[in-house]
Amino acid sequence: MAESEQALQVDAGPDIEEEILSEKGKGEEVYVAPPWKLMWWRFRKHKMALICTGVLIILYFIALCCEFVAPYDPNQASIQFKQVPPTAIHIRDAEGQFHWPFIYQHDRAMDPESFVITYVEDTTIRYPIRLLVRGFEYKWLGRWKSDLHLFGLHSDAADKQGLFLLGTDRLGRDMFSRLCYGARLSLSMGLVSVFMSLVLGVVLGGISGYFGGKIDAIIQRVIEFVRTIPTIPLYMTLSAALPLDWPIVRVYFGLTMILALVGWTWMARVVRGRFLAMREEDFVLAARLNGSSEMRIILRHMLPSFLSYVIAALTLNIPNMILWETGLSFIGLGLRAPAISWGVLLQEAMNLRSLVLAPWVLAPGVAVVLSVLAFNFVGDGLRDAADPYSR
């Protein structure tokens, strides 16, 4: 363990050393810094990874506090606001004067020739956008009651005008609010399923690589059997086996288990290879001679030596789980209505009429692409930062 940390410190690279010398005037700090600090110094030089880290923080804040961020009840249908386009926010009125951000009153009209419903701004009526407003009542995380929301309009405008940042669907439901609620299920499922696959992969892969013998042969045959089955039919078959009468919470955890049970094999292979390479190292032998138990050697000496690589690999695997959940829910084999996830919301885009009249129903697809790209850039930054031989 000590040798591996020393190798990480020595191979920190000239760029980091020059940065330490210029910023702090202590060149020796790079040689005594712990591995996590060296990893942070490398990661912060990856500008795109830092930006995407901020994007992910915002997305997960929205997912955690979706009731507070969403201005409207995601299941509230309003016929008078059916397929309203995204509401334009103004800071300057028709006369050229600047104001606090506001929106205009939208009057509904119908084209006499095409019978298409349109919405026209009435520049004589303005509604200022307020922060920390009172709205529909909710329970945050199912425990604490509140009716406070991040932004919205005054309660007097409830029946006259709405603040629809991403428009509404064919039932008059606010797409932005539904997108916020969908983030909780889609983003959390990626984290939970990857964490479960991590536990299975580290435990089984560590046992396989450290002990070897018959245990290694049995675990490897199981991994080979799982990996020989085509992934798409396997996911679809297991998801279709979930009972239709299950509640949303049970379907959520059932789908999470399916994603984890199919996706643990790649981590087990990685951990096994690392354990095979390290089990004969001097620091492992020194730990044995010192009287350390096998479990302590694995958890305190071997696993931390490549934990940074595991974290980077997990970050790159979370987007795959998000895409699988979105795809399965999109085709009706994952989460189903009334559950709200990005895949369920994208089912609205399957309706050609809705897609033509309201193209903003594709907003959940944009959210999926944004989150997947952010995870990929962060994973690339962590992978580069975890490589002690990079320059």
Side-chain angles (χ1 to χ4, degrees):
M1 180 64 181
E3 292 182 1
S4 61
E5 291 184 359
Q6 184 178 2
L8 282 172
Q9 295 164 358
V10 172
D11 292 325
D15 295 335
I16 290 181
E17 185 174 359
E18 292 176 2
E19 182 180 352
I20 299 300
L21 287 170
S22 61
E23 292 183 0
K24 302 180 179 179
K26 296 180 180 179
E28 66 275 9
E29 186 169 349
V30 71
Y31 300 106
V32 298
W36 66 266
K37 185 173 287 188
L38 295 176
M39 187 175 176
W40 163 245
W41 285 335
R42 289 187 180 277
F43 180 76
R44 70 182 184 183
K45 296 175 65 178
H46 199 302
K47 302 301 182 184
M48 198 63 193
L50 287 178
I51 295 174
C52 291
T53 301
V55 172
L56 290 178
I57 291 174
I58 294 174
L59 288 177
Y60 275 96
F61 171 77
I62 293 175
L64 183 63
C65 305
C66 60
E67 299 94 347
F68 171 69
V69 177
Y72 300 104
D73 186 343
N75 295 315
Q76 179 182 357
S78 301
I79 302 302
Q80 68 270 28
F81 299 132
K82 178 180 177 181
Q83 291 182 332
V84 175
T87 307
I89 300 177
H90 304 273
I91 59 174
R92 189 169 64 176
D93 59 19
E95 299 176 355
Q97 297 180 354
F98 288 93
H99 300 272
W100 178 261
F102 66 93
I103 64 173
Y104 284 120
Q105 170 74 43
H106 285 68
D107 295 331
R108 185 175 179 178
M110 178 180 292
D111 191 318
E113 297 182 358
S114 61
F115 299 103
V116 175
I117 297 176
T118 59
Y119 294 87
V120 182
E121 290 184 342
D122 184 357
T123 57
T124 62
I125 304 177
R126 293 185 290 108
Y127 296 100
I129 300 175
R130 301 177 182 271
L131 298 177
L132 302 179
V133 299
R134 299 293 177 178
F136 71 95
E137 189 174 278
Y138 59 86
K139 282 187 177 181
W140 185 58
L141 298 179
R143 303 179 68 87
W144 298 282
K145 285 186 178 183
S146 178
D147 60 353
L148 187 65
H149 298 270
L150 179 61
F151 64 92
L153 302 180
H154 195 272
S155 58
D156 296 340
D159 298 330
K160 304 175 183 178
Q161 178 61 39
L163 178 59
F164 307 119
L165 297 182
L166 297 177
T168 61
D169 60 10
R170 56 191 175 93
L171 297 179
R173 298 172 296 189
D174 180 35
M175 285 298 299
F176 178 78
S177 299
R178 293 176 64 79
L179 195 68
C180 293
Y181 275 78
R184 173 173 292 178
L185 290 184
S186 296
L187 293 179
S188 64
M189 184 171 291
L191 284 181
V192 174
S193 58
V194 165
F195 176 77
M196 295 175 64
S197 66
L198 167 66
V199 174
L200 289 173
V202 169
V203 172
L204 297 179
I207 293 174
S208 177
Y210 186 78
F211 295 102
K214 293 183 179 179
I215 296 178
D216 182 27
I218 293 174
I219 294 178
Q220 292 309 304
R221 299 297 81 78
V222 173
I223 292 176
E224 292 170 0
F225 173 76
V226 174
R227 294 177 69 90
T228 54
I229 303 175
T231 306
I232 296 178
L234 180 60
Y235 276 132
M236 295 178 64
T237 302
L238 294 177
S239 300
L242 297 177
L244 295 176
D245 57 348
W246 271 13
I248 297 175
V249 175
R250 190 174 295 181
V251 174
Y252 173 87
F253 284 104
L255 192 60
T256 302
M257 288 293 297
I258 291 172
L259 295 175
L261 290 175
V262 178
W264 68 273
T265 55
W266 66 275
M267 179 55 67
R269 283 285 179 88
V270 171
V271 174
R272 175 182 179 270
R274 297 282 179 164
F275 272 52
L276 287 174
M278 289 190 303
R279 65 181 183 180
E280 304 299 333
E281 293 287 340
D282 293 340
F283 71 91
V284 176
L285 178 60
R288 288 200 186 104
L289 295 176
N290 196 38
S292 299
S293 63
E294 302 293 343
M295 187 60 65
R296 180 179 176 83
I297 293 174
I298 292 175
L299 297 179
R300 295 295 300 273
H301 298 281
M302 299 181 70
L303 186 59
S305 64
F306 64 95
L307 187 59
S308 57
Y309 175 83
V310 172
I311 294 174
L314 287 177
T315 307
L316 290 171
N317 195 50
I318 291 176
N320 295 331
M321 299 300 183
I322 295 176
L323 289 174
W324 276 117
E325 182 278 325
T326 303
L328 291 173
S329 299
F330 176 72
I331 61 178
L333 296 178
L335 295 170
R336 308 176 183 90
I340 303 176
S341 72
W342 289 344
V344 174
L345 295 180
L346 280 174
Q347 289 181 351
E348 186 73 17
M350 297 178 64
N351 188 326
L352 184 59
R353 177 181 174 84
S354 297
L355 185 60
V356 172
L357 297 178
W360 47 87
V361 296
L362 289 175
V366 177
V368 172
V369 173
L370 179 63
S371 61
V372 168
L373 288 177
F375 270 114
N376 284 334
F377 278 115
V378 172
D380 288 340
L382 289 175
R383 182 183 57 193
D384 296 341
D387 184 7
Y389 302 105
S390 63
R391 289 293 184 266

